[in-house]
Amino acid sequence: MTMPENGDGPVAALSLTSSTVDAITVIRVDGVLDATTREQFADYLSMAGSDLILDLAGVTFMDSRALGLIVHHWQTSLAAGAKFALIGVEYSKSKVMWITGLAQRLPLYDTLDDALAAIG
C-alpha cells in the first residue's frame, strides 16, 4: 500500500475508470491487479457492457488471478459475439500474459485507435 505525500491516509491500490467510445466501454486500469484488488476488478468488469476495451497502460503489476478474470471476460465476449480488446499492455508489468502464452492469443493492441480499427 502506498501513502500519499500529504499523509491523509492510504492511496487505493487500484483505480478503475470507464468511458464509452463508439458504443464500446473502455475501462482504464491504474495500479495493481492481484489478490488484494481482484474483487474490486471483478465487480467493475461485471458492470461493463458486452463490448469492452481494457486499457492496461496504468497497470503496475498483474498476477495470474487478474489474468484469469480478463481471460474469462474475453471468452464470454467471444461466445456472445461481442467486441473485446486489450490496449497498453506492457511486458514488464504483466509478464504473466507471456509466461502463460496468452499474449499470443489475447487481442492486444498498442493504442485505442488500433483496437477500434481492428474490432470496430
Coordinates of all heavy atoms in Angstrom, one line a residue, residues 32-72:
V32 N -2.4 -1.9 -9.2 CA -2.1 -3.3 -9.0 C -3.3 -4.2 -9.3 O -4.3 -4.0 -8.7 CB -1.5 -3.6 -7.6 CG1 -1.3 -5.0 -7.3 CG2 -0.3 -2.7 -7.4
L33 N -3.1 -5.3 -10.1 CA -4.1 -6.3 -10.3 C -3.6 -7.6 -9.6 O -2.8 -8.3 -10.2 CB -4.4 -6.5 -11.8 CG -5.1 -5.4 -12.5 CD1 -5.2 -5.7 -14.0 CD2 -6.5 -5.2 -11.9
D34 N -4.0 -7.8 -8.4 CA -3.6 -9.0 -7.7 C -4.7 -9.5 -6.8 O -5.9 -9.0 -6.8 CB -2.3 -8.8 -7.0 CG -2.4 -7.8 -5.8 OD1 -3.5 -7.3 -5.5 OD2 -1.3 -7.5 -5.3
A35 N -4.4 -10.4 -5.8 CA -5.4 -10.9 -4.9 C -6.1 -9.8 -4.1 O -7.2 -9.9 -3.7 CB -4.7 -11.9 -4.0
T36 N -5.3 -8.7 -3.8 CA -5.9 -7.7 -2.9 C -6.9 -6.8 -3.7 O -7.8 -6.2 -3.1 CB -4.8 -6.8 -2.3 OG1 -4.2 -6.1 -3.4 CG2 -3.8 -7.6 -1.5
T37 N -6.9 -6.8 -5.0 CA -7.8 -6.0 -5.8 C -8.7 -6.8 -6.7 O -9.5 -6.2 -7.5 CB -6.9 -5.0 -6.7 OG1 -6.1 -5.7 -7.5 CG2 -6.1 -4.0 -5.8
R38 N -8.6 -8.1 -6.6 CA -9.3 -9.0 -7.5 C -10.8 -8.7 -7.5 O -11.5 -8.6 -8.5 CB -9.0 -10.4 -7.2 CG -9.7 -11.4 -8.2 CD -9.5 -12.9 -7.8 NE -9.9 -13.8 -8.8 CZ -11.2 -14.1 -9.0 NH1 -12.2 -13.5 -8.3 NH2 -11.5 -14.9 -10.0
E39 N -11.4 -8.7 -6.3 CA -12.8 -8.5 -6.1 C -13.3 -7.1 -6.7 O -14.3 -7.1 -7.4 CB -13.2 -8.6 -4.6 CG -14.7 -8.6 -4.4 CD -15.1 -8.9 -3.0 OE1 -14.4 -9.7 -2.3 OE2 -16.1 -8.4 -2.5
Q40 N -12.5 -6.1 -6.4 CA -12.9 -4.8 -7.0 C -12.9 -4.8 -8.5 O -13.8 -4.3 -9.2 CB -11.9 -3.7 -6.5 CG -12.1 -2.3 -7.0 CD -11.0 -1.4 -6.6 OE1 -10.0 -1.7 -5.9 NE2 -11.0 -0.2 -7.1
F41 N -11.8 -5.5 -9.1 CA -11.7 -5.6 -10.5 C -12.9 -6.4 -11.1 O -13.5 -6.0 -12.1 CB -10.4 -6.2 -10.9 CG -10.0 -6.2 -12.3 CD1 -10.2 -5.1 -13.2 CD2 -9.5 -7.4 -12.9 CE1 -9.9 -5.1 -14.5 CE2 -9.2 -7.4 -14.3 CZ -9.4 -6.3 -15.1
A42 N -13.2 -7.5 -10.4 CA -14.2 -8.4 -10.9 C -15.6 -7.7 -10.9 O -16.4 -7.8 -11.8 CB -14.3 -9.7 -10.0
D43 N -15.9 -7.0 -9.8 CA -17.1 -6.2 -9.7 C -17.2 -5.2 -10.8 O -18.3 -5.0 -11.4 CB -17.2 -5.5 -8.3 CG -17.4 -6.5 -7.2 OD1 -17.7 -7.7 -7.4 OD2 -17.3 -6.1 -6.0
Y44 N -16.2 -4.5 -11.1 CA -16.2 -3.4 -12.1 C -16.4 -4.1 -13.5 O -17.2 -3.5 -14.3 CB -14.9 -2.6 -12.1 CG -15.0 -1.2 -12.6 CD1 -15.3 -0.2 -11.7 CD2 -14.7 -0.9 -13.9 CE1 -15.5 1.1 -12.2 CE2 -14.8 0.4 -14.4 CZ -15.2 1.4 -13.5 OH -15.3 2.7 -14.0
L45 N -15.7 -5.2 -13.8 CA -15.9 -5.9 -15.0 C -17.3 -6.3 -15.2 O -17.9 -6.3 -16.3 CB -14.9 -7.0 -15.2 CG -13.5 -6.7 -15.5 CD1 -12.7 -8.0 -15.5 CD2 -13.4 -6.0 -16.8
S46 N -17.9 -6.8 -14.1 CA -19.3 -7.3 -14.2 C -20.3 -6.2 -14.6 O -21.4 -6.5 -15.1 CB -19.7 -8.0 -12.9 OG -19.9 -7.1 -11.9
M47 N -20.0 -5.0 -14.3 CA -20.9 -3.8 -14.6 C -20.6 -3.3 -16.0 O -21.4 -2.5 -16.5 CB -20.7 -2.7 -13.6 CG -21.1 -3.1 -12.2 SD -21.0 -1.8 -11.0 CE -19.3 -1.4 -10.9
A48 N -19.6 -3.8 -16.7 CA -19.2 -3.3 -18.0 C -20.2 -3.8 -19.1 O -20.8 -4.9 -18.9 CB -17.8 -3.7 -18.4
G49 N -20.3 -3.1 -20.2 CA -21.1 -3.6 -21.3 C -20.5 -4.8 -21.9 O -19.4 -5.2 -21.6
S50 N -21.2 -5.4 -22.9 CA -20.6 -6.6 -23.5 C -19.4 -6.3 -24.4 O -18.5 -7.1 -24.6 CB -21.7 -7.3 -24.3 OG -22.3 -6.5 -25.2
D51 N -19.5 -5.1 -25.1 CA -18.3 -4.7 -25.9 C -17.3 -3.9 -25.0 O -17.7 -3.0 -24.3 CB -18.8 -3.8 -27.0 CG -19.6 -4.5 -28.1 OD1 -19.5 -5.7 -28.2 OD2 -20.5 -3.9 -28.7
L52 N -16.1 -4.4 -25.0 CA -15.2 -3.9 -23.9 C -13.7 -3.8 -24.5 O -13.2 -4.7 -25.1 CB -15.2 -4.8 -22.7 CG -14.3 -4.5 -21.6 CD1 -14.7 -3.2 -20.9 CD2 -14.3 -5.6 -20.6
I53 N -13.1 -2.7 -24.1 CA -11.7 -2.5 -24.3 C -11.1 -2.2 -22.9 O -11.6 -1.3 -22.2 CB -11.4 -1.3 -25.3 CG1 -11.9 -1.7 -26.7 CG2 -9.8 -1.1 -25.3 CD1 -11.7 -0.6 -27.7
L54 N -10.1 -3.0 -22.5 CA -9.4 -2.7 -21.3 C -8.1 -2.0 -21.6 O -7.3 -2.5 -22.3 CB -9.1 -4.0 -20.5 CG -10.3 -4.7 -19.9 CD1 -9.8 -6.1 -19.3 CD2 -10.9 -3.9 -18.8
D55 N -7.9 -0.8 -21.0 CA -6.7 -0.1 -21.1 C -5.8 -0.4 -19.9 O -6.1 0.1 -18.8 CB -7.0 1.4 -21.2 CG -5.8 2.3 -21.4 OD1 -4.7 1.8 -21.2 OD2 -6.0 3.5 -21.6
L56 N -4.8 -1.2 -20.2 CA -3.9 -1.7 -19.1 C -2.6 -0.9 -19.0 O -1.7 -1.3 -18.3 CB -3.7 -3.2 -19.2 CG -4.9 -4.0 -19.3 CD1 -4.5 -5.5 -19.5 CD2 -5.7 -3.9 -18.0
A57 N -2.5 0.3 -19.6 CA -1.3 1.0 -19.6 C -0.9 1.5 -18.2 O 0.3 1.6 -17.9 CB -1.4 2.3 -20.5
G58 N -1.9 1.7 -17.3 CA -1.6 2.1 -16.0 C -1.3 1.0 -15.0 O -1.1 1.2 -13.8
V59 N -1.4 -0.3 -15.4 CA -1.1 -1.4 -14.5 C 0.3 -1.4 -14.1 O 1.2 -1.4 -15.0 CB -1.6 -2.7 -15.2 CG1 -1.1 -3.9 -14.4 CG2 -3.1 -2.7 -15.4
T60 N 0.6 -1.5 -12.8 CA 1.9 -1.6 -12.3 C 2.3 -3.1 -12.0 O 3.5 -3.4 -12.0 CB 2.1 -0.8 -11.0 OG1 1.1 -1.2 -10.1 CG2 1.9 0.7 -11.3
F61 N 1.4 -4.0 -11.9 CA 1.6 -5.4 -11.7 C 0.3 -6.1 -11.9 O -0.7 -5.7 -11.6 CB 2.1 -5.7 -10.2 CG 2.2 -7.1 -9.9 CD1 3.3 -7.8 -10.3 CD2 1.2 -7.8 -9.2 CE1 3.5 -9.2 -10.1 CE2 1.3 -9.2 -9.0 CZ 2.5 -9.9 -9.4
M62 N 0.5 -7.3 -12.5 CA -0.7 -8.2 -12.7 C -0.3 -9.6 -12.3 O 0.7 -10.1 -12.8 CB -1.1 -8.2 -14.2 CG -2.3 -9.1 -14.5 SD -2.6 -9.3 -16.3 CE -2.9 -7.6 -16.7
D63 N -1.2 -10.3 -11.6 CA -1.0 -11.7 -11.2 C -1.9 -12.6 -12.0 O -2.7 -12.1 -12.8 CB -1.1 -11.9 -9.7 CG -2.5 -11.9 -9.2 OD1 -3.5 -11.8 -10.0 OD2 -2.7 -12.1 -7.9
S64 N -1.7 -13.9 -11.8 CA -2.5 -14.9 -12.6 C -4.0 -14.8 -12.3 O -4.8 -15.1 -13.2 CB -1.9 -16.3 -12.4 OG -2.1 -16.6 -11.0
R65 N -4.4 -14.4 -11.2 CA -5.8 -14.3 -10.9 C -6.5 -13.2 -11.7 O -7.6 -13.4 -12.2 CB -6.1 -14.1 -9.4 CG -5.7 -15.3 -8.5 CD -6.0 -15.0 -7.1 NE -5.7 -16.2 -6.3 CZ -5.9 -16.3 -5.0 NH1 -6.6 -15.3 -4.4 NH2 -5.6 -17.4 -4.4
A66 N -5.8 -12.1 -11.8 CA -6.3 -11.0 -12.6 C -6.4 -11.4 -14.0 O -7.3 -11.1 -14.7 CB -5.5 -9.7 -12.4
L67 N -5.3 -12.1 -14.5 CA -5.3 -12.5 -15.9 C -6.5 -13.5 -16.1 O -7.1 -13.5 -17.1 CB -4.0 -13.2 -16.2 CG -3.8 -13.7 -17.6 CD1 -4.1 -12.7 -18.7 CD2 -2.5 -14.4 -17.8
G68 N -6.7 -14.3 -15.1 CA -7.9 -15.3 -15.2 C -9.2 -14.5 -15.4 O -10.0 -14.9 -16.2
L69 N -9.4 -13.4 -14.7 CA -10.6 -12.6 -14.9 C -10.7 -12.0 -16.3 O -11.7 -12.0 -16.9 CB -10.6 -11.5 -13.9 CG -11.0 -11.8 -12.4 CD1 -10.8 -10.6 -11.6 CD2 -12.4 -12.3 -12.3
I70 N -9.5 -11.6 -16.8 CA -9.5 -11.0 -18.1 C -9.8 -12.0 -19.2 O -10.6 -11.8 -20.1 CB -8.1 -10.3 -18.4 CG1 -8.0 -9.1 -17.5 CG2 -8.0 -10.0 -19.9 CD1 -6.6 -8.5 -17.5
V71 N -9.2 -13.2 -19.0 CA -9.5 -14.3 -20.0 C -10.9 -14.7 -19.9 O -11.5 -15.0 -20.9 CB -8.5 -15.5 -19.7 CG1 -8.9 -16.7 -20.4 CG2 -7.1 -15.1 -20.0
H72 N -11.5 -14.8 -18.7 CA -12.9 -15.2 -18.6 C -13.8 -14.2 -19.3 O -14.7 -14.6 -20.1 CB -13.3 -15.3 -17.1 CG -14.8 -15.6 -16.9 ND1 -15.3 -16.8 -17.2 CD2 -15.8 -14.7 -16.6 CE1 -16.6 -16.7 -16.9 NE2 -16.9 -15.4 -16.6

